Amino acid sequence: MRAFFPSTFHSIKTYCYLITILFTLSCQPSSVNFPAKHYRAVSKRDTAYLQLTKNENHFYGHYTIQYGNSGKDSGEIRGNIKGDTLIGDYFYMPHSGGVKKRTPFALLQDGKTLRLGNGAIVRFLDIPSYSPDVAINYDSVKFVFTEILH
């Protein structure tokens, strides 16, 4: 029995070592680089800036709305891509101060432009999202983004 234990222990140790190496290699960041694109939209005195990175089925980036000369909302966006629609969340610090807020965020890719959608917002467990019963409107929108060089 004594001769069997060191051999079994050595085998288990070797398998654990191999599993650790495979796990470490699988967690390495992908070598594929998804470049960020920059967009701007103007509506009357307000200007919105969007830095957007898309990778396969997800997007993330930074979104800022400058309200004339009076202040700005600025924060992070992230979500999922479904066909030509990007739906996610906008986490931002409002220009009026206070605490960080979360609101639903939707963009429609329309050729070379992105249209910021709006719709009925519902809350579940204090998490806002667009109502599944009401379609998101991409026709009468405040911001239509065009790509800019950065």
Side-chain angles (χ1 to χ4, degrees), residues 95-114:
H95 71 281
S96 58
V99 297
K100 201 171 209 179
K101 295 190 178 202
R102 176 182 186 170
T103 190
F105 184 82
L107 293 168
L108 177 67
Q109 180 105 35
D110 186 18
K112 292 190 175 195
T113 63
L114 295 169

Side-chain angles (χ1 to χ4, degrees), residues 51-115:
Q51 175 204 348
L52 184 66
T53 302
K54 295 192 279 186
N55 60 18
E56 296 163 6
N57 299 323
H58 305 286
F59 72 92
Y60 60 92
H62 192 84
Y63 179 52
T64 301
I65 305 169
Q66 180 70 44
Y67 299 102
N69 294 326
S70 64
K72 69 178 178 178
D73 291 343
S74 182
E76 304 299 317
I77 56 169
R78 68 174 179 238
N80 298 316
I81 301 172
K82 296 175 185 172
D84 58 357
T85 307
L86 290 73
I87 297 180
D89 294 299
Y90 175 38
F91 301 89
Y92 68 100
M93 186 62 73
H95 71 281
S96 58
V99 297
K100 201 171 209 179
K101 295 190 178 202
R102 176 182 186 170
T103 190
F105 184 82
L107 293 168
L108 177 67
Q109 180 105 35
D110 186 18
K112 292 190 175 195
T113 63
L114 295 169
R115 303 174 69 76

